[in-house]
Amino acid sequence: MILEEIKKAYGGRKGQNRLPKKRDSAVLVPLVEHDGHLCLLYEVRSLKLRHQPGEVCFPGGRMEEGEDALLTSVRETCEELYVNKEDIEIIGEMDAFQMGNGQIIWPVVGLLHNEKGTYSKDEVDHLFYVPIQWLMANTPHRYKLVTTTTPEENFPVELLPGGQDYTWPKLEREVYLYMFSHEVIWGVTAEITYRFIQTIMPY
């Protein structure tokens, strides 16, 4: 009887992904002419933002319904830097990056014309520019980031093999970090920067 119910419930059933779908994001990797140098432009997120205030990033955000990486990166750049989409010359797309939380980011390389240092103060604290030549000459520092599992206080660890000495899994990943003047570029922004520079290095 029970076996029949099991077969009725699962007979021929195909598994479905019921996990919440995280919308992909896209960023523009913006090239600009600044003080006589070809540079990458970076934003420092507004300190008033709830999510990652003060972090260094490229202009970008979540993809809206029906958008691809190109449309999202251009829209977000226009909103954050007060530039016209006609002044964004798209060069090409990089491969996707996966963040530690599983979110996917699609970087798009573009040249900004008529960039005047303007930005939305609701989203951006300030901008800074790093010459491509400096990035070619300075490799990022590399560190290991280890994520550990911490059970809540009332979790019955005594029921697990080894009890209090149970070995919880650890997730280890390499993190890149650039130090330019007083600015710290790290995490996925530094990783995108590093991969971008590696693809254009002459050797």
Side-chain angles (χ1 to χ4, degrees), residues 42-45 52 54-58 126 128 183-186 189-190:
Y42 294 87
E43 299 178 351
V44 175
R45 290 171 60 82
Q52 296 181 315
E55 293 276 9
V56 172
C57 64
F58 291 121
H126 65 276
F128 66 95
E183 306 287 0
V184 177
I185 306 165
W186 78 289
T189 303

Side-chain angles (χ1 to χ4, degrees), residues 55-73:
E55 293 276 9
V56 172
C57 64
F58 291 121
R62 294 281 183 92
M63 290 185 188
E64 294 185 352
E65 200 69 39
E67 285 188 337
D68 58 13
L70 195 151
L71 288 173
T72 300
S73 62

Side-chain angles (χ1 to χ4, degrees), residues 32-194:
V32 298
E33 290 283 349
H34 184 76
D35 287 344
H37 301 282
L38 182 63
C39 300
L40 284 184
L41 177 152
Y42 294 87
E43 299 178 351
V44 175
R45 290 171 60 82
S46 170
L47 300 177
K48 298 179 291 185
L49 293 174
R50 293 178 59 188
H51 180 61
Q52 296 181 315
E55 293 276 9
V56 172
C57 64
F58 291 121
R62 294 281 183 92
M63 290 185 188
E64 294 185 352
E65 200 69 39
E67 285 188 337
D68 58 13
L70 195 151
L71 288 173
T72 300
S73 62
V74 169
R75 174 180 55 76
E76 290 282 350
T77 300
C78 291
E79 291 174 3
E80 294 172 22
L81 300 184
Y82 295 150
V83 297
N84 298 317
K85 64 179 182 180
E86 293 78 18
D87 290 328
I88 303 174
E89 179 186 340
I90 298 299
I91 297 174
E93 299 181 8
M94 297 175 63
D95 293 335
F97 285 76
Q98 185 170 35
M99 298 181 67
N101 63 1
Q103 185 179 339
I104 304 297
I105 295 183
W106 298 88
V108 177
V109 180
L111 183 63
L112 291 187
H113 299 282
N114 302 316
E115 192 274 327
K116 297 180 174 62
T118 56
Y119 56 86
S120 166
K121 293 184 178 179
D122 290 333
E123 299 189 63
V124 180
D125 184 77
H126 65 276
L127 308 176
F128 66 95
Y129 308 80
V130 183
I132 297 294
Q133 291 292 341
W134 186 92
L135 291 165
M136 285 182 164
N138 293 271
T139 55
H141 302 278
R142 300 185 185 195
Y143 300 95
K144 287 285 191 296
L145 189 64
V146 180
T147 304
T148 59
T149 302
T150 305
E152 64 178 348
E153 194 173 318
N154 63 345
F155 190 93
V157 290
E158 68 278 1
L159 301 179
L160 305 181
Q164 293 290 343
D165 297 323
Y166 182 80
T167 303
W168 296 97
K170 294 182 179 181
L171 178 64
E172 185 176 292
R173 61 190 179 97
E174 191 172 49
V175 175
Y176 295 85
L177 187 149
Y178 290 93
M179 298 178 67
F180 178 77
S181 184
H182 61 282
E183 306 287 0
V184 177
I185 306 165
W186 78 289
V188 71
T189 303
E191 192 175 347
I192 292 171
T193 299
Y194 178 69

Side-chain angles (χ1 to χ4, degrees), residues 17-37:
N17 182 3
R18 297 181 181 276
L19 297 173
K21 188 177 186 302
K22 295 182 178 178
R23 271 190 299 168
D24 291 358
S25 297
V27 298
L28 189 76
V29 181
L31 293 159
V32 298
E33 290 283 349
H34 184 76
D35 287 344
H37 301 282

